[in-house]
Amino acid sequence: MKWLDRATLLFDGSLTLGSVMARLAGIHGDRQLVEEHLGPTRSWAQAAERVDRFAGAIAARVTAGDRVVIATPNVYDAFLLCLAAIRAGALAVPVNPQMSLAEIDHVIRDSGATVTIRDVAEVDLGEPLGDARPARPDDVAAIFYSSGTTGKPKGARLTHRALLSQARAGLVYPSDLRRDLAVAGLPIAHIMGFVVLLGFATAGLPLYFLPKFRPDDALDVIEERRATIFVGVPAMYRLLLEAGAEQRDLRSVRVWGSGADVMPADLARRFQRMGALVTLPLLHTSVGEAAFVEGYGMVEVGGGVAAKVSPPLVHSPLGDFLGLPVPPYRFKVVDDDGREVRVGGTGELLVKGPGVLKGYHGDPDATAEVLTDDGWLRTGDLVRRGPFGLFFFAGRSKDVIKRGGYSIYALEVQQVLEDHPAVAEAAVVGVPDERLGEEVAAAVRLLPGEATSERDLVAWCRDRLSGYKVPDQVKIVDTLPRTGTQKVQKAELRHLFG
């Protein structure tokens, strides 16, 4: 009775990442777990065996608590290697292959890694380890490094409980009662990618994994395999749209998912209309539209801590609504003095719950900056506190531009620019100004085949924003510099503006 096995696993308070794949294999056995684009297909049982054999090879090279850097290409085996390092009693330190060599070297040095794996072939598939090395749920299991958009990347120390707290909820998904196929092409070394893969595995959802995200490949897979779920970051949705998503048959998709950055509401709505609530294959017709699920989180909380669901045929009027806290997480919004703001006020969001990091590796000063004495995490995100326990995203605290005594949220200006019919994407930064302190500057990428001028974009903003928020400089660019998780590297844009 699989439902009984699932319930046992759901309420097993001793579950750790070192044992989770073996436990899942006991439920799903030879069912297909993953198919990799231009790569292998594996069942749950095969994945569990691979984790155990990887763990046997790693255990011969480490002692308990050693750090193992996983710097392989972004293949599904990188995920299994992380689980294997943890099973062997080490701490997994996944590294995004899109990091520069200097950044990877920094992670190796900073983590004090005793083993670095740069290719899956380096790990022999020898004798299996057998039982996972002893671990408690509140022990640190992995160190995830931030993308390093400002300063050097810092390593967040995350526990088994932190990384399993959200994925465990997948055990209630009725995967035995319906046909599903998920598609994702996220970097495994990023917390969203790791947790998404872990969540699909615990939910019993077969996955088509794209080691490198290419919009045409993703659209082909969704259309040809009749995929029902797609998860990506907002930049991926923009690329799908530019690659002709609206001319494809994507009606098989019942759920679109997004995270890691703010998803524009109009973009989400367009994809909802491309999917369907249900498709009747024999009649070649579809009914309704897809749901859109957005998660809010960060590496310091081990993934997502809030979720927003836009159901089929329901257009949410809540705009920048952050989402409802996922139990047992708690939110509060505080001012610069640490006092909770009233309804309608804007301040920094603080989060408390099982996923909050145990600290940054080897950096007590940085840890003290983000963790309060009573265990709240300072997220660095600005949030407006709404009525009825609602919270609305206002931007990153580092994205507040101080111009002539006014505070300008970069996100607000970006959204106005992206409302322009010729604009695909905008990034807004503050640049130094002797008179005003900072000026508002925007780099803008246009949609293919569209044209407009920098002067027209300034005029567009002037009609829609208060005068002090209007960009002083606008540059039209072909591309925007990005991190491995497709976030715009704003620090790299400032050189465009004199």
Side-chain angles (χ1 to χ4, degrees):
M1 292 185 291
K2 289 186 178 181
W3 64 266
L4 184 58
D5 294 331
R6 285 170 174 258
T8 301
L9 198 56
L10 179 63
F11 295 107
D12 184 352
S14 64
L15 184 65
T16 64
L17 285 163
S19 60
V20 66
M21 190 58 77
R23 298 285 298 275
L24 291 170
I27 297 172
H28 301 293
D30 292 328
R31 286 183 57 214
Q32 182 176 307
L33 164 66
V34 62
E35 179 181 353
E36 192 164 277
H37 185 65
L38 303 179
T41 298
R42 302 196 196 285
S43 68
W44 267 268
Q46 289 169 331
E49 180 185 10
R50 201 163 178 82
V51 168
D52 201 22
R53 290 185 178 275
F54 281 152
I58 293 171
R61 303 167 63 185
V62 300
T63 58
D66 282 354
R67 274 75 66 195
V68 176
V69 168
I70 313 295
T72 69
N74 190 51
V75 293
Y76 196 85
D77 270 353
F79 173 64
L80 299 183
L81 278 170
C82 289
L83 298 183
I86 297 167
R87 186 174 179 82
L91 275 60
V93 186
V95 170
N96 193 322
Q98 293 193 37
M99 279 183 167
S100 68
L101 290 176
E103 287 175 317
I104 294 174
D105 287 343
H106 164 74
V107 170
I108 294 170
R109 290 193 306 271
D110 187 75
S111 66
T114 55
V115 174
T116 299
I117 302 171
R118 297 182 184 270
D119 192 287
V120 176
E122 296 175 14
V123 184
D124 295 329
L125 281 173
E127 289 298 315
L129 176 67
D131 293 335
R133 294 283 170 84
R136 295 167 300 180
D138 288 323
D139 290 341
V140 174
I143 303 174
F144 279 79
Y145 277 75
S146 62
S147 56
T149 53
T150 57
K152 289 189 179 296
K154 299 188 293 291
R157 292 167 57 83
L158 301 175
T159 66
H160 295 268
R161 191 184 305 280
L163 292 165
L164 284 167
S165 62
Q166 298 141 66
R168 191 192 294 263
L171 290 163
V172 303
Y173 189 84
S175 59
D176 297 326
L177 302 180
R178 55 191 288 176
R179 181 261 173 195
D180 272 304
L181 175 65
V183 176
L186 297 160
I188 294 164
H190 183 261
I191 192 63
M192 179 181 172
F194 186 90
V195 171
V196 164
L197 264 59
L198 187 60
F200 285 148
T202 57
L205 281 166
L207 169 68
Y208 192 100
F209 181 68
L210 299 158
K212 184 174 178 59
F213 177 80
R214 294 184 177 90
D216 288 332
D217 289 341
L219 291 171
D220 288 345
V221 171
I222 294 171
E223 192 171 27
E224 295 169 8
R225 302 295 183 90
R226 310 310 296 158
T228 59
I229 300 168
F230 174 83
V231 178
V233 299
M236 292 177 177
Y237 281 93
R238 290 190 179 97
L239 292 172
L240 290 173
L241 200 62
E242 292 171 19
E246 289 176 313
Q247 284 72 55
R248 298 292 197 106
D249 179 6
L250 308 181
R251 292 173 297 169
S252 62
V253 178
R254 292 193 290 263
V255 179
W256 302 98
S258 178
D261 209 345
V262 178
M263 183 73 185
D266 61 332
L267 187 58
R269 284 290 300 149
R270 290 175 77 169
F271 276 89
Q272 278 190 272
R273 289 191 288 267
M274 293 181 217
L277 179 62
V278 63
T279 299
L280 307 174
L282 295 179
L283 300 178
H284 301 287
T285 187
S286 57
V287 178
E289 61 184 26
F292 206 104
V293 179
E294 298 173 62
Y296 166 80
M298 59 193 65
V299 66
E300 286 84 357
V301 291
V305 293
K308 176 172 68 175
V309 179
S310 300
L313 304 174
V314 176
H315 186 195
S316 170
L318 296 179
D320 295 322
F321 173 47
L322 193 67
L324 294 173
V326 176
Y329 287 94
R330 291 182 287 154
F331 289 0
K332 67 178 178 180
V333 184
V334 302
D335 61 20
D336 291 340
D337 296 319
R339 295 187 297 262
E340 283 199 66
V341 303
R342 296 181 178 181
V343 172
T346 298
E348 184 181 9
L349 177 67
L350 272 59
V351 174
K352 195 170 192 179
V356 171
L357 80 168
K358 277 204 166 181
Y360 291 115
H361 182 76
D363 198 337
D365 292 338
T367 300
E369 287 180 9
V370 299
L371 287 179
T372 67
D373 292 339
D374 54 351
W376 288 87
L377 173 76
R378 300 182 179 97
T379 66
D381 283 339
L382 295 172
V383 169
R384 178 170 56 84
R385 183 179 173 188
F388 312 114
L390 301 180
F391 300 89
F392 297 84
F393 188 69
R396 290 286 296 172
S397 59
K398 294 172 186 171
D399 273 353
V400 176
I401 301 165
K402 300 288 187 177
R403 184 181 188 274
Y406 290 101
S407 294
I408 302 164
Y409 300 140
L411 179 65
E412 181 183 6
V413 183
Q414 285 171 200
Q415 289 175 335
V416 168
L417 284 164
E418 289 174 354
D419 284 340
H420 190 285
V423 172
E425 191 174 11
V428 173
V429 297
V431 295
D433 180 82
E434 290 184 4
R435 185 171 61 89
L436 297 172
E438 283 186 298
E439 285 187 344
V440 182
V444 172
R445 185 171 64 84
L446 301 183
L447 290 164
E450 296 290 344
T452 188
S453 70
E454 293 162 353
R455 179 177 296 181
D456 286 344
L457 290 172
V458 172
W460 172 273
C461 291
R462 189 172 289 117
D463 289 340
R464 292 162 175 81
L465 290 169
S466 301
Y468 67 90
K469 299 178 182 178
V470 175
D472 300 279
Q473 300 184 63
V474 173
K475 299 285 187 184
I476 295 174
V477 298
D478 293 328
T479 60
L480 293 170
R482 299 185 184 280
T483 67
T485 55
Q486 300 300 305
K487 287 186 178 180
V488 175
Q489 291 181 301
K490 291 192 172 183
E492 300 295 319
L493 294 174
R494 290 189 170 88
H495 73 277
L496 295 174
F497 307 101

